Amino acid sequence: MKETGFSIVIPSHNRPALILNAVQSALKNCTAHSEVIVVDDRSTIPVADILHSITDSRLKIVRNNENYGGAAYARNIGVNVANYDLIFFLDDDDVFVENYINYVLTEPNLINADYGFGKDCLNLIDCKLNNKTNRGFNLVSSSDFLKKRIAGISTGFWVR
């Protein structure tokens, strides 16, 4: 079976104390066929300076030198430079639950899904800590409107 490639996009602006944890959690979820794209949205201390000790070739840092555009603008920059069609989003003040991406990639019902997100992070953490078999995430059916579920977007949102 061919491994699914994916990109993880992390927008960042002036969060030098948090970005390292986000990037490390993203890289832990990566495979050989994936990448982590950090978009530095004109941070005072460049993200490249903060992450200089990470030598992982899967990490790409892109700096927005234009006008500050906010997280959504930075995410779009990341999507534009991504090498894969499957894109996960992670905020710079957040971390992925261990093996979250693997859970998404191995869920049989996701073959035809265009987007999804974690049901809620607490369920994912509980499942991991208690070694339950319930994976703790759920699919958005085609009959659900994304705007009705907007609160869930920040917890492991991904799109093809």
Side-chain angles (χ1 to χ4, degrees):
M1 183 165 96
K2 184 179 173 192
E3 186 176 316
T4 301
F6 59 88
S7 300
I8 300 171
V9 174
I10 306 172
S12 188
H13 178 72
N14 286 338
R15 295 230 173 121
L18 301 172
I19 188 64
L20 182 60
N21 286 337
V23 169
Q24 288 173 334
S25 81
L27 287 170
K28 283 180 186 176
N29 274 270
C30 279
T31 65
H33 300 285
S34 59
E35 62 188 354
V36 175
I37 303 166
V38 178
V39 181
D40 181 354
D41 201 10
R42 297 178 52 111
S43 297
T44 306
I45 301 170
V47 170
D49 292 352
I50 297 163
L51 301 177
H52 73 277
S53 63
I54 300 177
T55 58
D56 194 313
S57 63
R58 299 170 299 175
L59 175 63
K60 297 178 183 177
I61 301 170
V62 178
R63 181 155 170 97
N64 171 20
N65 286 317
E66 303 299 319
N67 294 326
Y68 169 73
Y73 185 79
R75 285 184 191 99
N76 286 333
I77 291 172
V79 168
N80 285 333
V81 300
N83 288 309
Y84 301 100
D85 291 335
L86 179 59
I87 300 176
F88 289 84
F89 295 97
L90 181 67
D91 290 342
D92 61 358
D93 65 343
D94 208 350
V95 295
F96 277 122
V97 171
E98 189 176 338
N99 293 319
Y100 172 72
I101 291 176
N102 185 55
Y103 290 150
V104 172
L105 297 177
T106 58
E107 173 59 43
N109 294 318
L110 293 177
I111 294 169
N112 295 316
D114 292 324
Y115 61 88
F117 46 85
K119 184 175 178 182
D120 70 54
C121 284
L122 293 177
N123 280 345
L124 284 167
I125 293 167
D126 286 342
C127 290
K128 179 188 175 298
L129 293 177
N130 296 326
N131 293 320
K132 295 179 182 175
T133 57
N134 179 0
R135 292 187 170 175
F137 69 92
N138 144 19
L139 297 175
V140 177
S141 73
S142 60
S143 63
D144 289 337
F145 292 103
L146 185 58
K147 67 182 179 180
K148 287 184 178 179
R149 297 184 170 260
I150 200 76
I153 298 255
S154 65
T155 54
F157 184 66
W158 56 268
V159 66
R160 282 188 208 280

